[in-house]
């Protein structure tokens, strides 16, 4: 209840509106700065093209810049594809850790009420033993699968 009261008082005092205004202003400033940086980059590429065209000719400069940008695009895509696997593994690990934390939190939240109930300790030990047996089974199945794949 205290958190709700803090949220309502924050809304009433205008702190939230001020924070949203500051965030919106910062986003606009960063967007303008990014547009200016992009314009500067375009002019630098244009200047490099003009210099190259004066030195090697317009056709050679256009071909060189075209091939250079295609190679750059290919490298960017290649790096992205290579790193996609590691990003997927990190997401899976984070998701598993979050699910374990939620499960442990839920179990700890329910534990006092289970201990007070009719079944008492038996209500907790039964599923815990079944869970341990399942974990042992999964561990053995994984190691058997690895042994079979190594034999092939």
């Amino acid at each position: 209840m205290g958190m709700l009261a803090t949220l309502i008082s924050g809304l009433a005092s205008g702190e939230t509106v001020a924070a949203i205004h500051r965030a919106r202003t910062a986003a606009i400033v960063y967007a303008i700065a990014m547009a200016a940086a992009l314009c500067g980059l375009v002019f630098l590429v244009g200047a490099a093209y003009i210099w190259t065209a004066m030195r090697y000719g317009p056709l050679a400069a256009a071909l060189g810049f075209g091939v250079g940008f295609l190679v750059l695009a290919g490298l960017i895509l290649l790096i992205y594809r290579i790193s996609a696997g590691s990003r997927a593994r990190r997401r899976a690990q984070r998701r598993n850790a979050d699910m374990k934390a939620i499960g442990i939190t839920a179990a700890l939240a329910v534990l006092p009420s289970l201990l007070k109930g009719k079944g008492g300790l038996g209500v907790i030990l039964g599923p815990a033993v079944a869970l341990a047996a399942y974990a042992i089974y999964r561990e053995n199945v994984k190691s058997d699968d690895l042994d079979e794949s190594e034999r092939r």
Side-chain angles (χ1 to χ4, degrees):
M1 188 67 177
M3 187 174 195
L4 182 62
T6 304
L7 180 63
I8 291 172
S9 67
L11 285 172
S13 67
E15 290 177 29
T16 306
V17 174
I20 290 172
H21 180 68
R22 284 191 306 268
R24 185 177 58 209
T25 304
I28 290 170
V29 168
Y30 282 122
I32 292 170
M34 187 135 131
L38 187 60
C39 287
L41 187 63
V42 167
F43 275 105
L44 285 175
V45 169
Y49 174 79
I50 291 170
W51 179 80
T52 307
M54 288 175 59
R55 185 167 179 130
Y56 299 107
L59 181 62
L63 287 173
F65 270 72
V67 169
F69 280 116
L70 288 175
V71 168
L72 180 64
L75 285 173
I76 290 170
L77 289 176
L78 181 67
I79 291 169
Y80 178 77
R81 296 283 292 182
I82 289 172
S83 65
S86 64
R87 284 192 311 272
R89 280 191 298 278
R90 278 194 305 259
R91 278 193 305 267
Q93 288 172 348
R94 194 176 320 122
R95 193 172 30 252
N96 286 339
D98 290 346
M99 291 307 277
K100 285 179 186 176
I102 290 171
I104 290 170
T105 304
L108 289 177
V110 172
L111 187 63
S113 64
L114 287 177
L115 288 175
K116 289 180 184 176
K118 281 187 175 180
L121 197 57
V123 172
I124 296 171
L125 288 180
V129 169
L131 186 63
Y134 180 68
I136 292 170
Y137 168 76
R138 280 187 54 188
E139 185 70 26
N140 289 331
V141 168
K142 283 182 183 177
S143 64
D144 289 343
D145 288 343
L146 288 176
D147 290 341
E148 288 178 17
S149 65
E150 289 174 356
R151 290 179 195 152
R152 293 180 191 171

